[in-house]
Amino acid sequence: MTVRPAPAHRATLVATDLDRTLIYSNAALALTMPDDQAPRLLCVEVHNGRPLSFVTERAAALIEELAAATDFVPVTTRTRDQYRRVHLPGPPPRYAVCANGGHLLVDGRTDRDWHDRVRRTVAAGCAPLAQVLDHLVRHADPGWLRKARVAEDLFVYLVVERDLVPQEWIKEISGWAADRGWTVSLQGRKLYAVPVPLTKSAALAEVVRRTGADRVLAAGDSLLDADLLLAADHAWRPGHGELADTGWTAPHLTALTTRGVAAGELIVTRMAAWLKNN
């Protein structure tokens, strides 16, 4: 399927999460088909000299075509350094959202005005980051806690052995965090604690304002993507991730059943078809 640039399409903005939505690590590929039927893969991220994240070759071609026909905006919880390791097909996006909305990149550079605005909002309504980090680490079990990290001095995450983390602990820590203006999300082996005002949708609204886009397509897999998907005119989620596990839905959402890297390809295929037909 080929998406050709047209004036009507230039008013469309595509906002997509990266990890486990658009790009996939080895552990997340879910190549369950026979080896001789597996899709050809393109590496889009290298870390410490090793290939880390992939898309299918067909997805790569569609991403490049979507980027030519729309304002294509990666929207990720990754830090800026982690985002800059990713090289998607096509020209570098003019806008990118990092740190779950804490940083807006314009032509690869941080928009300081946006970042300062976000920090003021978080400081006014949320418990201090140091307090949250201390509580999470003190109440985590060393048997399943592997690392604790601070990202961009904006939010924290724990690297855990997911299968060993009790669901009751996640429920308790989520309630504690909510009372202090923070939200908790478990994605793969990372448990995130993020200030409630630090959202992808707020940064998306700023990009929409600057581009003048009059319709938005979005995709994501985690609870931290829910506000992004709600802000779109049409949205997709894969058959894996927190949103799929909880059965999260919305009237304008297409809930796919496909999992792994094949879901990433299907998402951009559906986006391209939507553009062609709308």
Side-chain angles (χ1 to χ4, degrees):
M1 180 182 301
T2 298
V3 180
R4 295 181 176 83
H9 289 174
R10 296 307 305 180
T12 301
L13 187 150
V14 171
T16 177
D17 174 51
L18 291 179
D19 295 280
R20 296 171 61 86
T21 297
L22 193 64
I23 68 176
Y24 291 80
S25 67
N26 275 305
L29 288 172
L31 298 175
T32 57
M33 70 289 291
D35 289 347
D36 62 348
Q37 297 176 23
R40 286 163 57 98
L41 301 175
L42 174 70
C43 177
V44 294
E45 179 186 15
V46 173
H47 183 45
N48 292 331
R50 297 183 177 181
L52 184 61
S53 297
F54 304 86
V55 297
T56 68
E57 285 193 347
R58 174 159 174 73
L62 286 166
I63 291 168
E64 189 166 2
E65 292 176 356
L66 284 169
T70 69
D71 288 302
F72 192 88
V73 183
V75 183
T76 180
T77 305
R78 285 179 174 234
T79 66
R80 289 168 293 173
D81 286 344
Q82 292 168 339
Y83 166 71
R84 287 170 177 142
R85 298 197 306 250
V86 178
H87 299 285
L88 296 174
R94 183 182 178 195
Y95 293 100
V97 174
C98 297
N100 213 64
H103 285 287
L104 175 60
L105 303 187
V106 183
D107 294 326
R109 298 191 176 191
T110 298
D111 185 307
R112 300 306 310 180
D113 289 342
W114 172 257
H115 179 64
D116 291 344
R117 190 191 318 173
V118 169
R119 294 192 70 87
R120 288 194 298 269
T121 302
V122 170
C126 306
L129 182 150
Q131 177 186 348
V132 175
L133 177 62
D134 177 71
H135 186 86
L136 262 62
V137 172
R138 283 194 294 109
H139 289 82
D141 188 332
W144 46 257
L145 176 61
R146 296 296 173 259
K147 299 176 184 177
R149 294 286 185 267
V150 174
E152 299 272 21
D153 200 30
L154 287 168
F155 61 90
V156 304
Y157 64 91
L158 307 182
V159 180
V160 301
E161 294 295 337
R162 179 175 178 140
D163 293 341
L164 301 180
V165 183
Q167 289 299 312
E168 187 61 30
W169 184 87
I170 297 175
K171 182 178 179 181
E172 290 177 0
I173 212 71
S174 296
W176 179 91
D179 290 341
R180 290 155 180 83
W182 289 65
T183 187
V184 170
S185 173
L186 181 62
Q187 302 179 36
R189 296 180 62 238
K190 293 181 179 179
L191 184 137
Y192 291 89
V194 179
V196 170
L198 189 66
T199 65
K200 294 180 175 182
S201 60
L204 170 65
E206 177 65 12
V207 177
V208 168
R209 185 186 70 82
R210 296 188 187 194
T211 61
D214 54 20
R215 55 186 188 174
V216 175
L217 307 182
D221 71 295
S222 80
L223 292 176
L224 292 177
D225 295 316
D227 64 291
L228 175 71
L229 304 186
L230 288 173
D233 295 287
H234 198 85
W236 292 262
R237 66 164 170 83
H240 59 257
E242 285 180 310
L243 297 181
D245 292 345
T246 58
W248 187 90
T249 189
H252 62 287
L253 174 81
T254 297
L256 303 174
T257 58
T258 306
R259 302 169 63 88
V261 71
E265 178 181 311
L266 184 56
I267 285 170
V268 291
T269 300
R270 293 289 182 86
M271 285 180 167
W274 193 96
L275 279 175
K276 181 179 180 181
N277 296 317
N278 292 273

